[in-house]
C-alpha cells in the first residue's frame, strides 16, 4: 500500500525548526496562552522524560520573542493580540548530569557566558548567582522590558545523586545559589518557567522562592504535555490511516493497539487519557509498535531503588495513596512511590474525591512489559535471551488455551536455565510467575482477597479466567484442595469468563515445577 511521507519530530525539541520545516506539531499553544496570562508569573511543571517539556520550553521562548510568524494557524494565533517582545534567558540543564562540584560550576558558567556575551557583559565574578542577577538587570535596562527566564530540566544535575548523603547537599547548594536571584529580581521579571522530572522541596532548591506555582497536577494543565486521544483522532487523523495500512489492520484495530501500548497516563484528576508522545510518534514514523520510551532509558537505578525499598514486582502498581505520598520531594521520600510516579512508571488511574485518595498503576503495556523484562535477571534467570524465546512459546500455548502445554514448557525452561540468586520461600516463585505471566500480555494479580482468604494469583486472558494456587515442596493436589475448600471461584462468579483452577507445586531443590493440576 502506498503512503504519504510525513515528517515526525523525533527527538526535535526546537519549536522554530518544527514549524519552519513542516514537521507535524500537536498544538499546545492554548495552554501557553493560559499560562502567560495567569495571575502568577512563576511556574513549575513536572513530567517524565521525553514527554515534550523541552519543546514546550522552546515554544514559550518563541512566544516571548514575539515570533508571531511561527504561530500562524495555531490556537495562539487567534488568542493573542499584543505579541510583545521580551528579553528571554533560557537555560538548559540537561547536560549537567554526572558532574562533580567543579564540573557543575563550570557548566553553569558556560551557560551564563552565552547570554552575558549577548548583552555585552564582561565579568570576573566566580559566583553564578551574582552573574545571573547582573544578567537579568542588564537585560532589563538595555531593552526596557521585564525579563523572561526559562529553565529546562532544572533538576538534571541532581538526579543521579538524589539519594547520596555525601554529594547531594554539595550539588544542591550550587543549584540553590544559582536559582536564588529568581526571588530577588522579581521587579525585573515578566515570567519564570521551570521544568523537571522530580519535585525537590522548595526549601532545599529554590531557597525563598515560595511563590512558584506548581501546575503539574492541575486539571487545566493535565494535557499540556503528551498527546490526548482527541488530539490523536483530529490532528493525526491521516497518520492513523497510514499506520493501519502499514500494519495491515483496520483503523479501529490500530487505535486499539496504540491505546493498549502507549495510552493510559493521567497527571491530574480529572484528566483526558494521555499518550506517550515519544512512543506514539516513533510508532507512526516506523510503521510498527515497539518499546520506544522504555527502551530509551536505563532502568538500572530503578531496579536498585526497588530493592532498597523492598518493593515486589507485583506491588509496583495498583496502590492507593494520598497526594503527599507521590507528589512529594524525592530527596526525602520514604517510599519508592514518588520516584515511580514522577519517572512515569506509574500514573494516576483513579481518584476518590470523598477521601482524597488516588489509585496509581502502571500506565500501559509498553511500561509493564519493559519493567517485567528488566526484572527477569533478578527473579527468573540472567539468561534473558532464553527467557524471551520461552515467553513467545508460552504465549502461543496460552492463546491456544493449552495451560498444560504451557506449564510443561515452563517446567523444562526453569530446569535448564542458569538461575539467579536461589531462594527458598514461596513468595519468590509467586513473583517469578507474576513476571512471566505479565510478559505474556495477560492481566495478572496476586494475593487477591476473597471472603475465605487470598488467592495466590489470578490471570485473565481474552477467553479464560485462571485461578492459580502455589505450593512449595508440597503437592498440586493440596493446592487444588485449598481452592475448593475456600471456594475461591465464587469471588469471580460475575466476571463473565469460564474459570479454570490451576494448582502448581514447586520443587525447591530443582527450582522448577514439580507437578500441577488443572480443573474446571
Amino acid at each position: 500500500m502506498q503512503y504519504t511521507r510525513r515528517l515526525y519530530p523525533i527527538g526535535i525539541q526546537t519549536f522554530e525548526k518544527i514549524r519552519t520545516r513542516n514537521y507535524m506539531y500537536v498544538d499546545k499553544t492554548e495552554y501557553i496562552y493560559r499560562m502567560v496570562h495567569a495571575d502568577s508569573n512563576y511556574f513549575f511543571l513536572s513530567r517524565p522524560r521525553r514527554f515534550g517539556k523541552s519543546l514546550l520550553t522552546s515554544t514559550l521562548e518563541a512566544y516571548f520573542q514575539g515570533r508571531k510568524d511561527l504561530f500562524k494557524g495555531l490556537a495562539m494565533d487567534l488568542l493573542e493580540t499584543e505579541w510583545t517582545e521580551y528579553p528571554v534567558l533560557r537555560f538548559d540543564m540537561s547536560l549537567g548530569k554526572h558532574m562533580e562540584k567543579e564540573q557543575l560550576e563550570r557548566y553553569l558558567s558556560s551557560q551564563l557566558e552565552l547570554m552575558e556575551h549577548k548583552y555585552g557583559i564582561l565579568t570576573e565574578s566566580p559566583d553564578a548567582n551574582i552573574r545571573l542577577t547582573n544578567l537579568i538587570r542588564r537585560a532589563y535596562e538595555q531593552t526596557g522590558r521585564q525579563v523572561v527566564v526559562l529553565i529546562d530540566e532544572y533538576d538534571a544535575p541532581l538526579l543521579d545523586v538524589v539519594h547520596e548523603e555525601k554529594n547531594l547537599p554539595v550539588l544542591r547548594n550550587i543549584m540553590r545559589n544559582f536559582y536564588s536571584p529568581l526571588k530577588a529580581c522579581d521587579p525585573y521579571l515578566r515570567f519564570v518557567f521551570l521544568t523537571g522530572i522530580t519535585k525537590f522541596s522548595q526549601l532545599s532548591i529554590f531557597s525563598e522562592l515560595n511563590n512558584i506555582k506548581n501546575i503539574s497536577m492541575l486539571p487545566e494543565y493535565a494535557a499540556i504535555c503528551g498527546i490526548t486521544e482527541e488530539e490523536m483522532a483530529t490532528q493525526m487523523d491521516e497518520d492513523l490511516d497510514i499506520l493501519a495500512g502499514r500494519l495491515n489492520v483496520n483503523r479501529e484495530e490500530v487505535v486499539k493497539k496504540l491505546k493498549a501500548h502507549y495510552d493510559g497516563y493521567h497527571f491530574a484528576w480529572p484528566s483526558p487519557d494521555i499518550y506517550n508522545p515519544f512512543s506514539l510518534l516513533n510508532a507512526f514514523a516506523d510503521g510498527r509498535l515497539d518499546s520506544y520510551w522504555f527502551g530509551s532509558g536505563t532502568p538500572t537505578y530503578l531496579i536498585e531503588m526497588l530493592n532498597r525499598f523492598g518493593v515486589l514486582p507485583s506491588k509496583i502498581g495498583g496502590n492507593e495513596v494520598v497526594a503527599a505520598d507521590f507528589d512529594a520531594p524525592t530527596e526525602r521520600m520514604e517510599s519508592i512511590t514518588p520516584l515511580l510516579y514522577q519517572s512515569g512508571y506509574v500514573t494516576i488511574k483513579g481518584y476518590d474525591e470523598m477521601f482524597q485518595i488516588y489509585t496509581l498503576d502502571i500506565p500501559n503495556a509498553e511500561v509493564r512489559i519493559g519493567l517485567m523484562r528488566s526484572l527477569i535477571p533478578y527473579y527468573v534467570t540472567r539468561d534473558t535471551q532464553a527467557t524471551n524465546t520461552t515467553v513467545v512459546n508460552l504465549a502461543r500455548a496460552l492463546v491456544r488455551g493449552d495451560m498444560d502445554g504451557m506449564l510443561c514448557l515452563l517446567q523444562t525452561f526453569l530446569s535448564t536455565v542458569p538461575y539467579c540468586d536461589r531462594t527458598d520461600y514461596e513468595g519468590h516463585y509467586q513473583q517469578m510467575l507474576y513476571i512471566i505471566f505479565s510478559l505474556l500480555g495477560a492481566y495478572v494479580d496476586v494475593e487477591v482477597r476473597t471472603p475465605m482468604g487470598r488467592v495466590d494469583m489470578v490471570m485473565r486472558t481474552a477467553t479464560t479466567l485462571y485461578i492459580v494456587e502455589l505450593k512449595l515442596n508440597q503437592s498440586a493436589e493440596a493446592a487444588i484442595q485449598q481452592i475448593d475448600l475456600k471456594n475461591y471461584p465464587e469471588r469471580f462468579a460475575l466476571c463473565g469468563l469460564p474459570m479454570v483452577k490451576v494448582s502448581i507445586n514447586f520443587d525447591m531443590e530443582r527450582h522448577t515445577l514439580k507437578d500441577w493440576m488443572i480443573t474446571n
Side-chain angles (χ1 to χ4, degrees):
M1 177 179 176
Q2 294 292 320
Y3 61 90
T4 306
R5 174 65 176 157
R6 182 85 177 258
L7 293 175
Y8 299 98
I10 309 297
I12 299 175
Q13 302 167 347
T14 306
F15 181 67
E16 179 183 14
K17 185 175 181 180
I18 289 174
R19 297 294 290 164
T20 57
R21 300 189 185 182
N22 203 32
Y23 282 93
M24 192 204 73
Y25 174 71
V26 177
D27 190 358
K28 299 291 184 178
T29 59
E30 179 184 348
Y31 298 101
I32 289 178
Y33 181 86
R34 187 180 302 164
M35 250 200 304
V36 301
H37 290 84
D39 294 335
S40 176
N41 293 328
Y42 294 77
F43 290 88
F44 168 64
L45 175 69
S46 170
R47 286 293 184 269
R49 60 183 175 81
R50 296 189 180 273
F51 251 84
K53 300 186 297 297
S54 297
L55 176 57
L56 180 65
T57 306
S58 177
T59 310
L60 277 164
E61 181 180 31
Y63 166 79
F64 280 114
Q65 288 173 339
R67 297 292 306 276
K68 183 179 179 179
D69 57 307
L70 297 178
F71 292 83
K72 186 176 181 180
L74 300 179
M76 182 70 81
D77 192 26
L78 300 174
L79 294 169
E80 188 56 83
T81 57
E82 296 181 5
W83 292 102
T84 304
E85 182 180 353
Y86 294 91
V88 179
L89 305 178
R90 182 181 174 187
F91 297 91
D92 180 6
M93 297 298 172
S94 64
L95 297 179
K97 301 174 183 176
H98 314 296
M99 290 185 175
E100 302 291 335
K101 177 178 181 292
E102 291 75 16
Q103 288 176 296
L104 182 56
E105 289 172 337
R106 288 196 301 270
Y107 180 72
L108 295 178
S109 178
S110 70
Q111 291 267 303
L112 288 163
E113 281 176 8
L114 294 173
M115 284 168 276
E116 287 171 336
H117 179 73
K118 179 180 179 180
Y119 291 98
I121 298 175
L122 297 174
T123 181
E124 298 294 329
S125 174
D127 299 317
N129 58 340
I130 294 175
R131 291 171 64 183
L132 179 57
T133 301
N134 292 338
L135 181 59
I136 292 172
R137 289 181 176 176
R138 180 68 66 90
Y140 172 76
E141 291 166 358
Q142 284 191 14
T143 63
R145 291 199 174 105
Q146 288 179 305
V147 179
V148 172
V149 178
L150 307 174
I151 301 174
D152 194 20
E153 298 197 45
Y154 88 100
D155 54 348
L158 304 174
L159 288 177
D160 59 321
V161 296
V162 68
H163 294 289
E164 294 183 17
E165 295 181 7
K166 178 182 178 182
N167 293 323
L168 177 63
V170 175
L171 300 186
R172 187 171 54 193
N173 282 339
I174 293 173
M175 300 309 299
R176 180 175 60 191
N177 290 335
F178 178 73
Y179 295 135
S180 61
L182 299 180
K183 175 74 177 216
C185 292
D186 181 66
Y188 310 106
L189 294 173
R190 161 65 180 89
F191 188 83
V192 175
F193 181 67
L194 301 97
T195 76
I197 293 177
T198 57
K199 177 184 176 182
F200 286 83
S201 61
Q202 290 176 334
L203 178 64
S204 67
I205 293 297
F206 301 122
S207 188
E208 297 178 358
L209 187 63
N210 53 12
N211 58 340
I212 191 165
K213 188 172 184 64
N214 184 359
I215 62 172
S216 306
M217 288 187 64
L218 297 183
E220 57 266 37
Y221 293 104
I224 194 170
C225 288
I227 297 173
T228 68
E229 204 155 28
E230 182 182 1
E231 289 167 340
M232 185 178 74
T234 55
Q235 300 182 49
M236 307 172 79
D237 179 69
E238 180 185 351
D239 306 272
L240 289 169
D241 289 332
I242 292 171
L243 182 60
R246 296 178 74 179
L247 293 177
N248 199 28
V249 297
N250 61 37
R251 182 184 170 114
E252 182 181 348
E253 184 65 23
V254 84
V255 170
K256 184 178 177 181
K257 288 178 178 290
L258 290 171
K259 187 174 184 65
H261 276 78
Y262 307 129
D263 190 18
Y265 291 92
H266 308 94
F267 301 105
W269 199 269
S271 165
D273 282 353
I274 305 291
Y275 284 76
N276 185 315
F278 183 75
S279 294
L280 192 62
L281 293 178
N282 268 286
F284 283 130
D286 292 353
R288 61 188 177 90
L289 308 186
D290 208 337
S291 180
Y292 296 105
W293 179 81
F294 197 94
S296 68
T298 52
T300 306
Y301 173 70
L302 174 66
I303 304 302
E304 291 175 358
M305 297 309 296
L306 287 170
N307 289 333
R308 177 181 294 188
F309 285 101
V311 178
L312 297 173
S314 62
K315 300 300 181 184
I316 292 174
N319 300 308
E320 287 192 327
V321 293
V322 298
D325 291 332
F326 65 96
D327 184 36
T330 49
E331 80 266 36
R332 61 167 186 254
M333 66 184 191
E334 296 178 356
S335 78
I336 199 173
T337 305
L339 176 65
L340 289 172
Y341 174 76
Q342 294 168 26
S343 300
Y345 295 111
V346 300
T347 191
I348 299 170
K349 289 293 188 178
Y351 178 62
D352 186 326
E353 189 172 359
M354 177 179 292
F355 296 99
Q356 297 184 321
I357 193 164
Y358 293 84
T359 299
L360 301 184
D361 209 344
I362 297 171
N364 51 45
E366 180 190 19
V367 178
R368 179 178 295 279
I369 291 173
L371 276 171
M372 295 307 141
R373 285 197 188 283
S374 67
L375 291 167
I376 286 172
Y378 302 89
Y379 283 89
V380 186
T381 176
R382 293 187 176 90
D383 187 353
T384 54
Q385 179 178 333
T387 305
N388 292 335
T389 303
T390 299
V391 164
V392 172
N393 292 325
L394 293 174
R396 287 170 176 161
L398 188 61
V399 167
R400 296 194 305 266
D402 184 8
M403 174 60 71
D404 186 68
M406 192 184 90
L407 293 178
C408 281
L409 284 169
L410 188 59
Q411 182 187 50
T412 301
F413 168 66
L414 293 178
S415 65
T416 57
V417 296
Y419 255 80
C420 60
D421 293 338
R422 297 174 182 268
T423 54
D424 57 357
Y425 66 104
E426 187 177 305
H428 172 81
Y429 295 94
Q430 181 189 65
Q431 297 302 312
M432 181 182 69
L433 283 189
Y434 176 84
I435 291 169
I436 292 173
F437 288 172
S438 293
L439 289 173
L440 301 180
Y443 169 82
V444 187
D445 200 2
V446 300
E447 296 293 332
V448 180
R449 293 188 180 185
T450 75
M452 298 289 288
R454 294 174 185 252
V455 184
D456 281 339
M457 187 172 296
V458 175
M459 180 171 67
R460 186 180 70 230
T461 67
T463 59
T464 309
L465 185 81
Y466 295 96
I467 299 172
V468 184
E469 190 67 24
L470 308 178
K471 293 297 179 185
L472 183 60
N473 285 345
Q474 295 187 40
S475 70
E477 186 176 353
I480 279 288
Q481 288 175 354
Q482 182 170 330
I483 293 175
D484 292 336
L485 179 65
K486 298 193 175 183
N487 198 18
Y488 289 155
E490 184 182 21
R491 160 73 167 74
F492 310 100
L494 300 179
C495 76
L497 291 173
M499 282 182 284
V500 174
K501 296 177 286 186
V502 181
S503 64
I504 302 173
N505 179 42
F506 279 94
D507 185 327
M508 188 176 70
E509 186 175 340
R510 294 173 53 235
H511 298 279
T512 189
L513 287 68
K514 183 177 182 180
D515 59 330
W516 59 86
M517 293 180 64
I518 304 169
T519 62
N520 294 323

